[in-house]
Amino acid sequence: MKILILDDNESLAFALKGILQGNGHEVDCCLAAADAVELLKERTYDLILLDYKMPDNDGVWFMTEANVPRATKVLLMTAYVHRNVINTMFKLGACGYMMKPFDEAELLRNLDFFLPSHTPAAA
């Protein structure tokens, strides 16, 4: 699977990248929403892991500015779980969310759920 991680927390983004690559996925990371919007003009992804709260442009800005293909799943990653945030992101096209902090097992469970053709690593 091709996955884009958009999170301003560099250490988290690259830790997630390592986990996902270790499970056989192609992964790109962006630390700013504007960079991710530009990257989506060149590449397509099966899944976008999207942080909600970022310093310059937030997840809502990304979802309104990016041309996310209908086939691409967007999974919100946030520590700011408020009903209006979740509802807004769902209206904009997100299909689910994970509350930060989460662990590798939760990440992989979400991949299995949202990307049924994802083959989990052998236990």
Side-chain angles (χ1 to χ4, degrees):
M1 297 288 160
K2 293 171 70 174
I3 300 172
L4 174 62
I5 298 167
L6 171 53
D7 197 310
D8 64 306
N9 181 328
E10 185 174 1
S11 61
L12 175 61
F14 286 97
L16 292 173
K17 181 177 182 174
I19 290 168
L20 294 168
Q21 285 179 328
N23 281 275
H25 301 287
E26 295 178 45
V27 183
D28 290 321
C29 288
C30 286
L31 303 177
D35 294 338
V37 168
E38 291 302 313
L39 192 58
L40 277 172
K41 292 177 182 177
E42 303 169 9
R43 300 181 185 161
T44 58
Y45 296 92
D46 300 299
L47 176 71
I48 299 173
L49 295 173
L50 173 63
D51 186 19
Y52 170 71
K53 190 166 176 83
M54 295 176 280
D56 293 325
N57 299 302
D58 65 12
V60 171
W61 182 89
F62 171 80
M63 292 298 288
T64 57
E65 296 296 318
N67 186 16
V68 178
R70 183 172 270 225
T72 300
K73 305 279 188 200
V74 177
L75 187 60
L76 179 64
M77 305 181 297
T78 187
Y80 303 94
V81 182
H82 299 287
R83 186 178 309 270
N84 62 340
V85 168
I86 301 301
N87 288 338
T88 298
M89 293 302 289
F90 281 176
K91 286 178 186 173
L92 292 172
C95 63
Y97 66 94
M98 292 186 297
M99 289 177 47
K100 290 180 180 178
F102 52 85
D103 61 16
E104 181 175 346
E106 184 176 349
L107 174 63
L108 296 177
R109 276 194 310 273
N110 275 279
L111 283 181
D112 290 342
F113 182 79
F114 290 107
L115 300 172
S117 61
H118 161 72
T119 304

